[in-house]
């Protein structure tokens, strides 16, 4: 019951926080910028990301039969992996956006025009789900030999590979290659962007402008560290030998599957004056409407 209530609260906070970011980005004209366009994509992604696993997880926690159908497991793995892969690429796109904003502020609007933003977002989504399609097909082609007990809170590739009764080295090589493409290369692009951002910020003479740049980039960097840190660490427990290693793998999966999406809107809201201003403006408008009705 404690686990059920805790996860339910986290899930509700995730839904409310990410929905608020999407709604504010639509309603407030000050947030009609490339940064908030990508942030809205991230929030929508996180909504779908948690919804692909948490409802089933909550059902299993309070149910005596903790089962998921075979088709349901395939769908869950495909959607969860697709959204996770998309987030990896999207975070590197957001780092590029911050790089252009800080290092080329005078040309920011020209470079990051709406069409380019849409194209970059499309690349992130297509890349993520293409990777998921390949890995899902390869994973479910493996023979199970009547092994159907998934050692995790939900269906994901490492847990499914452990059910196979044959050598999975080909799948593991493919999975690690995907990790390089989907996780390591974007991390390299993020590091490149932030190295140049730090160099540019150091040269800014105004302390207020420097603080604003660090606050904006700091929120994104914190999200990157949380997501990539837990996601990449999860692959270290792909083939756990002990019960403690299995538990760590499950907790890491729970962290990047639930905790990180919940914290993302809080991080961006608490450290961002534009979002705070949009919230105050929206609440003030609702109060005025309430007084007019009264």
């Amino acid at each position: 019951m404690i686990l059920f209530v805790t996860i339910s609260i986290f899930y509700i906070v995730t839904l409310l926080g990410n929905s608020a970011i999407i709604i504010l980005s639509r309603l407030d004209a000050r947030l009609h910028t490339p940064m908030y366009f990508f942030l809205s994509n991230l929030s929508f992604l996180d909504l779908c990301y948690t919804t692909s696993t948490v409802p089933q997880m909550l059902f299993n926690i309070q149910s005596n039969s903790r089962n998921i159908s075979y088709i349901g497991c395939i769908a869950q793995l495909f959607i969860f992996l697709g959204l996770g892969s998309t987030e990896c690429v999207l975070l590197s796109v957001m780092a590029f956006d911050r790089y252009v904003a800080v290092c080329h502020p005078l040309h920011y609007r020209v470079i990051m025009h709406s069409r380019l933003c849409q194209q970059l977002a499309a690349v992130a989504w297509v890349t993520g789900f293409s990777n998921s399609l390949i890995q899902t097909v390869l994973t479910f082609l493996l023979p199970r030999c009547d092994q159907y007990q998934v050692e995790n809170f939900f269906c994901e590739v490492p847990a499914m590979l452990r059910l196979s009764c044959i050598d999975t080295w080909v799948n593991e090589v493919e999975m690690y290659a995907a990790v390089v493409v989907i996780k390591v290369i974007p991390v390299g692009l993020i590091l490149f962007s932030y190295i140049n951002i730090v160099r540019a910020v150091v040269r800014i003479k105004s302390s207020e402008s420097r603080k604003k740049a660090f606050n904006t980039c700091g929120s994104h960097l914190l999200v990157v560290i949380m997501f990539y840190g837990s996601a990449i660490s999860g692959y270290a427990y792909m083939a756990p030998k002990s019960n403690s290693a299995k538990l760590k793998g499950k907790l890491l999966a729970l962290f990047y599957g639930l905790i990180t999406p919940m914290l993302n809107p809080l991080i961006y809201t608490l450290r961002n004056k534009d979002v705070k201003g949009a919230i105050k403006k929206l609440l003030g408008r609702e109060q005025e409407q309430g007084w007019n009705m009264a």
Side-chain angles (χ1 to χ4, degrees), residues 82-143:
L83 293 168
S85 302
T86 301
E87 183 160 351
C88 291
V89 182
L90 186 61
L91 288 173
S92 66
V93 170
M94 293 173 74
F96 172 72
D97 172 65
R98 292 298 83 208
Y99 160 74
V100 177
V102 175
C103 299
H104 304 283
L106 299 178
H107 301 95
Y108 178 65
R109 291 286 183 178
V110 177
I111 297 173
M112 299 301 295
H113 52 84
S114 60
R115 186 178 178 184
L116 178 63
C117 293
Q118 292 167 4
Q119 290 172 341
L120 290 173
V123 167
W125 286 92
V126 171
T127 303
F129 277 92
S130 297
N131 169 60
S132 179
L133 179 62
I134 294 168
Q135 292 206 52
T136 301
V137 170
L138 291 177
T139 300
F140 279 91
L141 284 176
L142 293 171

Side-chain angles (χ1 to χ4, degrees), residues 1 31 48 81 86 124 135 141 144 194 228 232 263 271:
M1 181 56 68
L31 304 184
C48 300
L81 180 59
T86 301
Q135 292 206 52
L141 284 176
R144 299 273 177 272
Y194 274 99
Y228 276 102
I232 292 176
L263 293 176
R271 297 179 60 89

Side-chain angles (χ1 to χ4, degrees), residues 135 138-139 142 161 167-176:
Q135 292 206 52
L138 291 177
T139 300
L142 293 171
L161 290 182
D167 191 358
T168 60
W169 72 271
V170 174
N171 294 72
E172 291 175 22
V173 169
E174 184 276 331
M175 186 176 71
Y176 283 119

Side-chain angles (χ1 to χ4, degrees), residues 115-260:
R115 186 178 178 184
L116 178 63
C117 293
Q118 292 167 4
Q119 290 172 341
L120 290 173
V123 167
W125 286 92
V126 171
T127 303
F129 277 92
S130 297
N131 169 60
S132 179
L133 179 62
I134 294 168
Q135 292 206 52
T136 301
V137 170
L138 291 177
T139 300
F140 279 91
L141 284 176
L142 293 171
R144 299 273 177 272
C145 300
D146 294 328
Q147 296 185 63
Y148 298 104
Q149 186 171 342
V150 181
E151 283 284 348
N152 209 327
F153 294 111
F154 47 84
C155 298
E156 64 169 358
V157 174
M160 299 306 296
L161 290 182
R162 289 196 292 271
L163 297 181
S164 177
C165 56
I166 63 170
D167 191 358
T168 60
W169 72 271
V170 174
N171 294 72
E172 291 175 22
V173 169
E174 184 276 331
M175 186 176 71
Y176 283 119
V179 168
V180 171
V181 174
I182 298 297
K183 291 186 171 70
V184 178
I185 292 177
V187 166
L189 295 174
I190 291 169
L191 287 174
F192 172 79
S193 296
Y194 274 99
I195 288 171
N196 286 282
I197 286 171
V198 170
R199 287 177 178 174
V201 170
V202 169
R203 292 196 296 267
I204 296 175
K205 294 181 180 180
S206 170
S207 59
E208 186 176 344
S209 300
R210 193 183 302 132
K211 184 180 178 181
K212 184 179 180 181
F214 273 126
N215 281 341
T216 305
C217 297
S219 300
H220 176 258
L221 193 58
L222 184 56
V223 169
V224 167
I225 292 170
M226 286 196 307
F227 179 78
Y228 276 102
S230 57
I232 292 176
S233 298
Y235 283 88
Y237 299 97
M238 189 187 73
K241 303 297 182 182
S242 64
N243 289 330
S244 63
K246 288 180 181 179
L247 179 60
K248 288 177 182 177
K250 290 179 184 179
L251 292 176
L252 281 168
L254 188 63
F255 186 85
Y256 66 75
L258 178 61
I259 308 300
T260 301

